[in-house]
């Protein structure tokens, strides 16, 4: 394959996105300073509405965005080589049949690791201290002691060991916990003491004081924590979800919280999002819901995404393999 002298890059801001996620020239140029040779060879354009998108993708080699008009992309963007997402999950783009043949889909996996570490640190400590329950007591003006131990020696089970799961496993390890991990491959992980394959999950669940969900949502992982799996957890176990709401059977989770068989949950993701006010989930006991803010470091998010994107462009110019390419069959 011959490598072209330049790449036309179109950066499409999703018009419904809040200001912070804007893909603006200033931040792109700033991130480009770390990749001067590649950046010099880029021809960027920017849009924040559909007309600008259609104009911009017409001769683009690379599209950077998150939500964008997908129907007819193959005809609209005949030169397209890859789509760089500004997030890690791709489930909002399923089915992937809009992706023109031969065009790669690339994620920003890695951008969430540091903040996931902090969120899981917070979630594990808070659940272990019974903070959701204590917060309920405070709101009810009730002075009631719940005394708890410490985390070292307790067991955390991290489901999904990509970039988010790595932050989660490091948090559990930092807290002195024994870390069990679930991943598709048998590849060892530096923060995990014992690895399980997805089909071995039933053997891992009864050992978990805490479960952290950090897997992508695919047809294989949907409700990976279903009613049966939740029932295998020890009494009083806690759950942190940083992946997607539909990784859990939410009705079974709510029932487990209401019966107090589960000790508590910290959910950064729920189904659906935004979560409707009439949902009964909101007032399940011992539950904290944070509205999908747990893994995005808002001070550094777009700059880090741009460096992931630019690193791949530099790799492309050097004829090297691109990173974070989605496997269409696997779905992430
Ligand atoms: C956020 O949820 C992401 O997938 O990046």
């Amino acid at each position: 394959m011959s490598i072209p002298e330049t790449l036309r890059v179109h950066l499409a801001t999703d018009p419904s996105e809040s200001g912070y996620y804007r893909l603006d020239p200033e931040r792109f140029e700033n991130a480009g300073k770390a990749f001067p040779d590649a950046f010099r060879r880029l021809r960027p354009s920017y849009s924040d509405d559909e007309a600008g998108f259609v104009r911009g993708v017409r001769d683009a080699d690379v599209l950077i965005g998150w939500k964008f008009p997908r129907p007819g992309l193959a005809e609209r963007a005949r030169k397209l080589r890859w789509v760089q997402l500004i997030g890690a999950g791709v489930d909002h783009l399923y089915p992937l049949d809009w992706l023109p043949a031969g065009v790669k889909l690339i994620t920003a996996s890695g951008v969430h690791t540091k903040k996931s570490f902090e969120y899981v640190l917070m979630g594990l400590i808070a659940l272990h201290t019974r903070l959701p329950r204590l917060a309920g007591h405070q709101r009810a003006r009730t002075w009631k002691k719940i005394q708890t131990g410490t985390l070292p020696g307790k067991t955390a089970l991290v489901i999904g060991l990509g970039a988010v799961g790595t932050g989660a496993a490091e948090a559990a390890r930092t807290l002195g916990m024994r870390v069990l991990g679930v991943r598709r491959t048998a590849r060892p992980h530096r923060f995990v003491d014992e690895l399980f394959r997805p089909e071995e999950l039933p053997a891992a669940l009864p050992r978990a004081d805490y479960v952290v969900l950090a897997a992508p949502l695919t047809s294989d992982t949907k409700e990976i924590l279903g009613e049966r799996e939740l029932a295998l957890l020890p009494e009083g176990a806690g759950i942190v979800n940083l992946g997607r709401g539909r990784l859990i059977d939410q009705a079974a989770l709510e029932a487990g919280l209401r019966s107090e068989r589960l000790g508590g949950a910290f959910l950064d993701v729920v189904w659906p999002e935004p979560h409707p006010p009439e949902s009964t989930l909101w007032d399940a006991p011992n539950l904290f819901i944070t509205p999908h803010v747990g893994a995005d470091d808002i001070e550094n998010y777009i700059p880090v995404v741009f460096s992931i994107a630019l690193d791949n462009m530099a790799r492309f110019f050097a004829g090297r393999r691109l990173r974070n390419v989605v496997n269409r069959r696997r779905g992430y």
Side-chain angles (χ1 to χ4, degrees), residues 19-325:
Y20 183 75
Y21 294 93
R22 285 191 66 76
L23 306 177
D24 55 329
E26 198 187 323
R27 287 192 293 187
F28 194 49
E29 281 157 25
N30 219 9
K33 289 181 189 149
F35 301 86
D37 296 336
F39 196 74
R40 207 175 301 124
R41 295 169 69 175
L42 304 183
R43 302 289 174 265
S45 60
Y46 301 83
S47 66
D48 55 12
D49 61 17
E50 181 153 356
F53 171 82
V54 171
R55 259 195 321 275
V57 291
R58 199 168 291 146
D59 63 342
D61 295 291
V62 181
L63 166 63
I64 305 184
W66 180 240
K67 290 181 187 155
F68 41 81
R70 300 189 292 281
L73 191 65
E75 291 75 46
R76 279 177 166 176
R78 293 190 181 277
K79 285 181 57 198
L80 204 56
R81 295 168 187 268
W82 75 88
V83 177
Q84 169 69 60
L85 298 177
I86 65 163
V90 302
D91 51 291
H92 64 297
L93 304 176
Y94 289 163
L96 296 180
D97 52 7
W98 56 270
L99 188 66
V103 174
K104 292 183 170 68
L105 183 61
I106 295 185
T107 73
S109 171
V111 64
H112 300 110
T113 309
K114 286 191 184 158
K115 185 81 176 166
S116 308
F117 167 83
E118 292 189 3
Y119 188 89
V120 173
L121 212 53
M122 169 181 73
L124 292 172
I125 295 175
L127 287 174
H128 199 60
T129 313
R130 300 290 182 245
L131 191 63
R133 186 179 303 234
L134 292 170
H137 291 171
Q138 180 187 340
R139 275 180 226 116
R141 299 175 168 261
T142 307
W143 182 272
K144 197 152 126 193
K145 286 181 195 273
I146 303 174
Q147 282 169 307
T148 46
T150 56
L151 278 165
K154 302 288 187 300
T155 299
L157 169 64
V158 181
I159 301 180
L161 289 171
V164 173
T166 293
E170 186 178 8
R173 168 69 63 82
T174 302
L175 291 167
M177 301 178 78
R178 180 159 188 85
V179 186
L180 314 184
V182 176
R183 70 160 24 156
R184 257 179 352 97
T185 66
R187 202 157 31 96
H189 188 284
R190 66 189 191 283
F191 299 125
V192 173
D193 300 303
E194 267 179 79
L195 270 176
F196 295 79
R197 308 292 285 273
E199 58 276 16
E200 296 168 331
L201 187 59
L205 288 166
R207 294 174 52 195
D209 297 302
Y210 295 95
V211 180
V212 184
L213 285 158
L217 177 67
T218 67
S219 52
D220 290 333
T221 62
K222 188 166 176 226
E223 297 194 0
I224 192 167
L225 280 193
E227 196 176 350
R228 198 171 66 94
E229 289 75 21
L230 288 168
L232 288 175
L233 287 170
E235 176 111 24
I239 294 168
V240 180
N241 190 0
L242 262 183
R244 288 290 184 264
R246 282 190 293 177
L247 295 173
I248 310 188
D249 175 340
Q250 209 159 263
L253 171 73
E254 186 178 336
L257 289 169
R258 289 193 185 277
S259 69
E260 301 197 4
R261 215 195 76 76
L262 292 173
F266 237 89
L267 306 179
D268 190 51
V269 286
V270 291
W271 175 256
E273 293 180 17
H275 206 55
E278 61 277 12
S279 164
T280 55
L281 185 68
W282 288 108
D283 43 42
N286 306 320
L287 168 66
F288 271 175
I289 296 176
T290 54
H292 208 133
V293 293
D296 289 5
D297 166 2
I298 220 61
E299 285 158 2
N300 296 300
Y301 192 87
I302 292 297
V304 174
V305 168
F306 281 158
S307 34
I308 292 170
L310 287 160
D311 176 58
N312 260 340
M313 293 176 203
R315 285 167 170 268
F316 173 79
F317 287 130
R320 292 168 60 203
R321 199 171 54 84
L322 305 187
R323 295 196 306 187
N324 285 352
V325 178

